[in-house]
Amino acid sequence: MSLKTVYQPYFRMGAAVPAQVFESTTALGELCAQYDSMTCENEMKPQFLLDEGENRRNAAQYDRCPAVCFEGVRKYLDFAREHGMKMRGHTLVWHNQTPGWFFTEGYRGEEDAPLADRETMLARLEGYIRQVLEFTQTEYPGIIYAWDVVNEAVEDGALRRSLWTETVGEDFILQAFRFARKYAKQDVSLFYNDYDTFIPWKRDVICEQVLKPLLSEQLVDGMGMQSHMTMNTPDLEEYEKSLRVYGSLGIQIQVTELDIHNADPSASSMEALAARYREVFTILTRNKKEGTADVTGVTFWGMQDDDSWLTGFRGERSFPLLFQDGFRPKTAYQAVLSVPGRVEGDTQDRLPGGERFAFWEKAPVFTREYHVNAAHPEACDENDGSMEHPFATIQAAANLAGSGTRVWIHGGVYRECVHPVCGGNGPEEMVSFEAFGDGEAVIKASVETHDFRRSEGWNLIPPGAQVSLPEGLQIWETRLNPDEFRGYNPFCAVNILHDRLFIEYEKTDMTTYLNRRGMVFCDGKPLKQVSLYNQLGSTPGSYWVEANGQTVHFRLEDDSDPAQHQIELTCREQCFAPEIPFLSYIRVKGLTCAHAATGAPVPQRGAISCYRGHHWIIEDCKIDWSNGVGIDIGNECWHHTFRENQIIGHTVVRGCEIRDAGVCGIAGMFATDLLIEDNRIEGTGWQKMELSWEAGGIKVHNSVNSLIRRNIFTKTFRADHLWMDVGNENNRITRNLFLDGIEQREAIFIECSRDGINLIDNNIFWNVEGRFRPEDIPSEPGSTGWYKMEETGEINGYAVYGEGTDRLHVVNNFIGRCRSAGYFVKSVAFRISGNGRGGTSREARIVNNMFYDCGEAAIKFPTKDNDSQGNLYVKMPGGYLRILYPAPENCLDLQAWQEFYGFDKEGQEGFFAVEVDTEKLTLELKKADRLPEMRHHGTGRQNYITEPEKVLPVKASMETADDFDGDARGERRVPGPFAVLETGRIYELDPRKRK
């Protein structure tokens, strides 16, 4: 997440660096992180390079070639070389900050000293330029890529009168460029640089009297537009016109000294600053893209407000840059990062840092194909794998499939675990396993059993119990065939075996953790595992496993004869998984993988497993009834040693249906650059193992630069729809549906993430039930509840919940029916990741969302060090806006929220109905049939919007321009994810239809 990364396709991003930066490791770190170019604020100006003492002492020796000292600039050049940065040289020739003695005979310093003649000054000019260029190009080759040869030579409608014009004459510009061209390397660009380059008369003088004469001798490569601006000047239409005029000359354009003076640090003023920066960068980027101006660099004059030259120059505190004190990014920073997405029209593909997601897929080229068709009469693993002579098993093809191979899998059931033995060589040379399309291709980690007998010799009634058994009860048993369970018997293994030490046993029901991994299916539907044999009598559709894991007893739902049904027993851990780690560039497409007997994570081992490989594509697949994990795409666990240059992630999971995963749908530990899109993840968490800490529709650790979009999460049981655990940075969660969280504490949980921004935008949240015991909620008889100092915290149920996480941005979402709150974050000071700090839960931005009918609150901020703007609150309870600390907490209405904290200046309150059909995936807005009881009768303090059409547009977020449909919106938009709000309209919500 940096300026240089986002603008790399367009131009360099640089900063002018004052000398004090080298006294701060933080400043130097930010310099490297954000910029790929730097300019000395002063140290390369003649005043700092000319050696006054040496020239005075030996005036005759240096009369025609001045002594120069480079010690002050070496730290800049050394730093640039060590950190792979480039530099702009600023400046060779300037009327200012060139000492007056330099122009006198014998380098005399007296005011009345006679000036040197033209011949002498030309010799000094050439000698100075030659020495500076030879020093930088010899000792620091390739570091300085551009020089401002002449600076600010135009004034009052003509060339500026200066000591240069007095000694050399008005052709000093031409002479300086001739000398610079003579000594500059071919890859060094030469610029003329000036301020107020947008003023029409100045633009004309620069073009006619400076640039065109230089161009006639091919002496100049570029125009430097300094661009010191204010909030009102220049007029940006005139600025763009100037940019295009200079661009029409066929030269480079660089913005060399950009800042925007602003003396007002208020939030509204900083928003206005952000908007102006966004307009400026839109002009620069658009013209670069369209070819009307070859913009090759933008340099900010300073790195943070605290160091800006404007404060001293203007005589008033200025806040003109993208970073406030401590290098904390301002809204303007986010606004600048958002520009390329707006210009390119691909905002839906952009991450919070502004860079486009790193799409890596290419059309693969296959040089070999194999066919697998178990139903073919000639199928045999000894065949050649042709269409006419296919393999019987997928593994037979996998044994031969190398880079550039496609394995076609024809319709049928394949009872095996496929172990690819080779990965691809890149995006165009993948190894692909694909359904052929002539029927569903199913890989099952189970076997059919037909060996049934009546279960005898076991008590169905517990000792001493007075229980009557149901009429017609039939218990059956089947013994496992050792040949089918060789190497892995899930009926011998309990769900959790590995890394269970963190479980808090005293508050955890361990039953499901200690259940066996093996599953039993009747006609494709699972039976329920019970812990004791006698529980079969009270549980139709159940099974029990003997201690040695060799015999399974079961009862069908209707007590029928299993011989009349298909009975399947899981016998393999996975369906598709390498046995060799780090195989990469593999595609799995269109397959159904069912009945995987995976254990509870960690380790994270899915029905489909990348087994620590990278650059996999898993698309259009179905995962059905995985005991633990559906798909794993990460490093499996935290116990592996780390290999140098190890890559984990860059995986695509697209268009899949992941249904009824016992613990986790998709698991990605330490996986970065993930693209998870257009999937339906339903019924996750039936194992009730959420306290294994690895449960969720999606569970990731240390995810960086990932895009999770257009997915449907529904009916997740107890677990989170999405859990992002530890060290997540620059991830975007956008245009998803988070529906019907059953006994769910939160829909999204982002934990222990401190750096960068994680953006949650344009999603639909509906019905987060909460996970708590109602009997634990203390009663509040009479007026007891009125006078409590803080809430007890037993009730939960949140759309977005964070622990120890900073800079969460929640923008343009619809958040409805959360049992507790739409947004809630705790500071959790001692949740420390690695050697880092604890979380402050500050600098969250809750912007332009629609909150609807939340049980306790819309927003619970831990402290006031966050921001909330432009939100719409509909059907909210009293005190629905809360600041929790310092105690006692504040429970506020919108008016107090605005008055005392400055939040939601454009906030609105509504009282109308929203209905979401989570089966049909539709949403409807309805006009209110009543108004709530008013506290302020006749005062006008409570103005509820009762018709959705009357919701007012608010200022659009700087960081994301698009809506739920993926379309870009203007400067103002209604709160929430939709472009318009209309009563009675049926909004189709399935995001997969909006690719």
Side-chain angles (χ1 to χ4, degrees):
M1 181 174 180
S2 69
L3 295 166
K4 67 180 182 182
T5 301
V6 173
Y7 283 92
Q8 184 276 328
Y10 306 99
F11 38 75
R12 293 186 187 276
M13 294 293 279
V17 179
Q20 63 263 31
V21 162
F22 289 90
E23 301 171 6
S24 168
T25 56
T26 300
L28 292 176
E30 289 299 316
L31 178 60
C32 289
Q34 295 293 337
Y35 308 102
D36 50 13
S37 171
M38 66 174 174
T39 303
C40 299
E41 191 172 60
N42 286 295
E43 282 72 14
M44 279 189 178
K45 295 172 182 175
Q47 176 180 329
F48 291 84
L49 293 183
L50 289 167
D51 191 332
E52 181 177 3
E54 185 65 16
N55 282 302
R56 293 277 186 87
R57 282 189 296 271
N58 299 288
Q61 178 182 348
Y62 297 111
D63 186 56
R64 297 175 70 83
C65 184
V68 184
C69 178
F70 297 105
E71 292 310 306
V73 79
R74 282 188 181 274
K75 60 187 174 185
Y76 288 90
L77 292 161
D78 288 339
F79 182 86
R81 181 165 58 189
E82 290 168 11
H83 294 86
M85 296 188 73
K86 300 293 185 180
M87 291 185 65
R88 295 192 85 258
H90 178 76
T91 175
L92 292 173
V93 180
W94 191 20
H95 71 280
N96 196 8
Q97 287 188 275
T98 302
W101 57 260
F102 178 67
F103 296 91
T104 64
E105 292 181 358
Y107 296 126
R108 296 163 56 186
E110 302 88 356
E111 286 188 13
D112 58 350
L115 296 176
D117 59 31
R118 171 182 168 87
E119 182 181 356
T120 300
M121 285 307 301
L122 282 174
R124 290 178 183 179
L125 177 61
E126 180 175 8
Y128 176 75
I129 291 175
R130 175 181 57 78
Q131 290 180 85
V132 172
L133 293 183
E134 285 183 351
F135 166 76
T136 56
Q137 293 172 169
T138 301
E139 297 202 28
Y140 298 91
I143 298 298
I144 296 182
Y145 67 97
W147 275 100
D148 292 330
V149 178
V150 177
N151 191 47
E152 299 177 1
V154 174
E155 184 183 42
D156 296 332
L159 294 182
R160 180 191 299 273
R161 309 309 302 171
S162 70
L163 288 174
W164 283 111
T165 57
E166 288 188 50
T167 56
V168 174
E170 291 192 351
D171 68 337
F172 83 91
I173 301 173
L174 191 63
Q175 298 295 343
F177 272 91
R178 285 172 177 167
F179 295 141
R181 180 65 79 201
K182 179 178 179 180
Y183 296 108
K185 296 287 188 183
Q186 193 171 7
D187 60 350
V188 176
S189 297
L190 305 181
F191 280 77
Y192 173 73
N193 191 55
D194 215 326
Y195 63 90
D196 287 352
T197 53
F198 55 88
I199 297 175
W201 70 258
K202 192 165 190 176
R203 181 177 66 221
D204 293 343
V205 171
I206 289 172
C207 287
E208 297 301 321
Q209 298 188 41
V210 178
L211 295 177
K212 288 183 179 179
L214 293 173
L215 282 167
S216 69
E217 296 187 30
Q218 298 183 336
L219 297 176
V220 68
D221 299 303
M223 174 66 199
M225 300 178 67
Q226 289 185 13
S227 303
H228 294 291
M229 301 184 178
T230 72
M231 294 298 290
N232 299 311
T233 59
D235 176 82
L236 292 184
E237 288 188 8
E238 196 65 40
Y239 184 82
E240 183 169 15
K241 180 179 179 181
S242 296
L243 182 75
R244 293 188 174 205
V245 168
Y246 298 128
S248 69
L249 298 177
I251 57 177
Q252 300 178 49
I253 311 295
Q254 291 190 0
V255 176
T256 56
E257 304 180 27
L258 177 62
D259 51 27
I260 301 177
H261 172 56
N262 188 338
D264 180 3
S266 68
S268 59
S269 182
M270 290 299 100
E271 286 282 338
L273 177 71
R276 188 156 175 80
Y277 263 119
R278 187 178 66 189
E279 290 181 64
V280 170
F281 272 86
T282 298
I283 289 170
L284 297 173
T285 307
R286 183 177 63 236
N287 280 275
K288 174 71 172 185
K289 173 181 168 62
E290 294 175 354
T292 49
D294 184 19
V295 182
T296 58
V298 175
T299 297
F300 293 89
W301 203 252
M303 292 178 61
Q304 61 172 343
D305 290 345
D306 199 36
D307 302 325
S308 172
W309 72 293
L310 285 171
T311 295
F313 179 78
R314 296 264 179 180
E316 60 180 340
R317 183 80 162 92
S318 187
F319 305 87
L321 296 168
L322 304 188
F323 296 89
Q324 57 190 313
D325 303 349
F327 301 98
R328 293 161 55 207
K330 295 156 60 174
T331 306
Y333 174 73
Q334 205 69 39
V336 169
L337 292 179
S338 75
V339 168
R342 296 169 186 266
V343 170
E344 298 291 347
D346 61 358
T347 56
Q348 69 272 19
D349 295 333
R350 298 279 168 163
L351 296 172
E355 64 269 46
R356 193 168 186 264
F357 177 81
F359 298 101
W360 55 268
E361 296 173 77
K362 296 180 180 179
V365 177
F366 298 111
T367 57
R368 179 178 299 175
E369 290 187 348
Y370 293 117
H371 289 262
V372 181
N373 188 351
H376 194 284
E378 302 294 329
C380 176
D381 285 349
E382 303 302 319
N383 285 340
D384 60 8
S386 63
M387 175 81 83
E388 297 77 17
H389 301 94
F391 296 123
T393 67
I394 305 170
Q395 188 61 50
N399 291 337
L400 300 175
S403 180
T405 301
R406 173 155 53 189
V407 176
W408 286 116
I409 304 168
H410 293 257
V413 176
Y414 299 85
R415 296 190 185 272
E416 57 180 305
C417 180
V418 181
H419 303 299
V421 299
C422 185
N425 291 331
E428 295 176 302
E429 297 181 85
M430 301 191 76
V431 181
S432 186
F433 295 83
E434 302 181 38
F436 186 76
D438 54 354
E440 188 176 17
V442 184
I443 304 174
K444 285 191 173 182
S446 61
V447 294
E448 286 190 85
T449 181
H450 304 281
D451 180 21
F452 313 117
R453 62 183 63 86
R454 298 275 185 167
S455 173
E456 296 177 349
W458 299 87
N459 290 324
L460 279 170
I461 300 176
Q466 301 297 317
V467 177
S468 59
L469 296 175
E471 185 176 348
L473 172 68
Q474 294 191 75
I475 309 295
W476 303 84
E477 70 174 55
T478 183
R479 289 186 59 81
L480 306 185
N481 181 346
D483 288 336
E484 294 173 330
F485 290 82
R486 186 172 297 167
Y488 187 78
N489 182 354
F491 292 97
C492 283
V494 297
N495 275 326
I496 188 162
L497 281 178
H498 190 137
D499 214 0
R500 61 188 182 277
L501 301 179
F502 53 81
I503 292 181
E504 300 173 56
Y505 294 98
E506 67 277 6
K507 69 178 187 181
T508 303
D509 179 358
M510 295 301 298
T511 301
T512 190
Y513 294 82
L514 299 178
N515 276 344
R516 308 301 177 91
R517 298 184 186 184
M519 296 179 287
V520 180
F521 294 87
C522 176
D523 298 331
K525 295 183 179 179
L527 305 184
K528 179 182 178 181
Q529 187 174 171
V530 295
S531 302
L532 297 172
Y533 182 88
N534 59 49
Q535 293 173 328
L536 293 170
S538 58
T539 313
S542 59
Y543 69 101
W544 174 76
V545 184
E546 289 192 22
N548 64 5
Q550 303 300 310
T551 304
V552 177
H553 301 256
F554 63 95
R555 176 188 174 191
L556 301 185
E557 187 72 35
D558 59 356
D559 287 312
S560 59
D561 185 343
Q564 306 302 315
H565 301 273
Q566 182 187 43
I567 307 298
E568 296 169 288
L569 307 175
T570 55
C571 63
R572 285 174 289 275
E573 182 186 21
Q574 298 169 291
C575 296
F576 190 101
E579 294 182 304
I580 306 166
F582 308 117
L583 296 185
S584 300
Y585 294 104
I586 293 177
R587 181 168 71 173
V588 185
K589 181 178 175 65
L591 303 181
T592 296
C593 294
H595 302 174
T598 55
V602 294
Q604 297 175 335
R605 295 171 64 83
I608 297 178
S609 172
C610 298
Y611 195 22
R612 309 173 69 193
H614 58 83
H615 291 90
W616 280 52
I617 301 173
I618 304 169
E619 62 181 332
D620 302 330
C621 291
K622 295 181 181 179
I623 308 296
D624 208 7
W625 288 107
S626 181
N627 185 66
V629 177
I631 300 173
D632 75 78
I633 55 179
N635 201 33
E636 189 181 63
C637 66
W638 39 71
H639 303 294
H640 291 298
T641 55
F642 183 77
R643 297 177 14 157
E644 188 175 359
N645 300 320
Q646 179 176 325
I647 299 173
I648 298 293
H650 299 268
T651 302
V652 177
V653 182
R654 177 189 295 122
C656 296
E657 292 189 10
I658 305 171
R659 296 181 183 270
D660 301 304
V663 183
C664 190
I666 300 174
M669 190 173 288
F670 310 126
T672 68
D673 299 88
L674 302 175
L675 177 60
I676 304 178
E677 62 181 4
D678 302 314
N679 304 287
R680 183 181 179 100
I681 306 174
E682 180 174 347
T684 306
W686 53 267
Q687 289 275 20
K688 296 194 295 186
M689 294 176 65
E690 72 281 358
L691 294 181
S692 73
W693 309 116
E694 303 306 316
I698 297 176
K699 173 68 191 289
V700 293
H701 291 75
N702 298 90
S703 176
V704 180
N705 301 335
S706 294
L707 181 58
I708 301 174
R709 65 180 179 183
R710 299 192 305 260
N711 302 285
I712 300 172
F713 301 81
T714 184
K715 297 182 177 63
T716 304
F717 183 55
R718 286 197 172 183
D720 308 319
H721 290 315
L722 171 62
W723 184 350
M724 308 188 78
D725 187 352
V726 181
N728 300 284
E729 181 179 351
N730 200 34
N731 300 291
R732 186 178 183 190
I733 300 103
T734 181
R735 301 167 64 198
N736 302 282
L737 304 184
F738 298 97
L739 309 174
D740 289 339
I742 304 168
E743 295 184 28
Q744 182 183 68
R745 186 178 67 172
E746 60 274 331
I748 295 180
F749 183 22
I750 299 188
E751 179 183 3
C752 194
S753 296
R754 314 280 151 70
D755 300 314
I757 291 168
N758 291 293
L759 173 62
I760 302 169
D761 71 286
N762 288 298
N763 302 283
I764 309 291
F765 297 85
W766 183 259
N767 189 26
V768 183
E769 284 188 355
R771 186 178 73 238
F772 55 90
R773 300 195 326 157
E775 59 268 26
D776 289 340
I777 301 172
S779 61
E780 297 175 346
S783 61
T784 303
W786 300 358
Y787 299 105
K788 63 183 179 182
M789 296 299 287
E790 59 183 28
E791 62 187 54
T792 59
E794 276 83 3
I795 296 175
N796 55 46
Y798 318 107
V800 178
Y801 172 46
E803 284 188 357
T805 290
D806 303 328
R807 302 185 188 94
L808 267 179
H809 290 189
V810 182
V811 182
N812 300 339
N813 301 282
F814 172 77
I815 298 173
R817 295 269 172 89
C818 299
R819 178 61 185 85
S820 177
Y823 177 85
F824 172 48
V825 178
K826 296 191 296 189
S827 59
V828 195
F830 293 95
R831 182 70 170 97
I832 297 173
S833 175
N835 297 319
R837 59 180 174 85
T840 67
S841 294
R842 297 186 181 190
E843 297 192 2
R845 301 197 74 231
I846 315 301
V847 178
N848 297 355
N849 303 282
M850 183 196 300
F851 293 90
Y852 177 78
D853 193 21
C854 296
E856 291 187 318
I859 297 172
K860 293 183 180 182
F861 279 150
T863 69
K864 63 181 178 60
D865 301 307
N866 297 284
D867 193 24
S868 172
Q869 297 297 338
N871 297 293
L872 170 64
Y873 305 101
V874 182
K875 280 195 173 180
M876 286 292 146
Y880 64 88
L881 298 165
R882 301 187 181 185
I883 305 290
L884 305 183
Y885 297 100
E889 66 191 63
N890 287 297
C891 300
L892 309 169
D893 60 10
L894 180 58
Q895 291 71 33
W897 186 248
Q898 295 168 327
E899 179 179 356
F900 296 118
Y901 291 97
F903 294 151
D904 274 307
K905 293 178 181 178
E906 291 190 295
Q908 302 169 75
E909 292 182 300
F911 200 86
F912 51 81
V914 181
E915 293 184 0
V916 176
D917 188 320
T918 57
E919 296 299 323
K920 295 180 180 179
L921 302 180
T922 59
L923 179 148
E924 183 178 3
L925 303 174
K926 295 185 176 181
K927 183 178 178 181
D929 56 3
R930 63 180 181 85
L931 282 176
E933 181 180 344
M934 299 288 191
R935 289 182 292 117
H936 303 293
H937 292 289
T939 65
R941 294 182 190 171
Q942 284 183 294
N943 296 310
Y944 288 105
I945 299 168
T946 59
E947 299 177 42
E949 291 85 353
K950 294 184 178 179
V951 172
L952 298 176
V954 296
K955 185 181 296 184
S957 166
M958 288 289 175
E959 60 190 313
T960 178
D962 42 315
D963 62 12
F964 188 71
D965 291 320
D967 298 326
R969 294 294 153 197
E971 296 301 308
R972 299 186 69 80
R973 57 176 294 171
V974 293
F978 304 119
V980 295
L981 301 179
E982 296 179 7
T983 303
R985 175 178 172 180
I986 305 297
Y987 292 81
E988 298 289 340
L989 298 183
D990 191 338
R992 300 169 301 178
K993 298 178 180 179
R994 294 171 161 83
K995 297 182 183 181

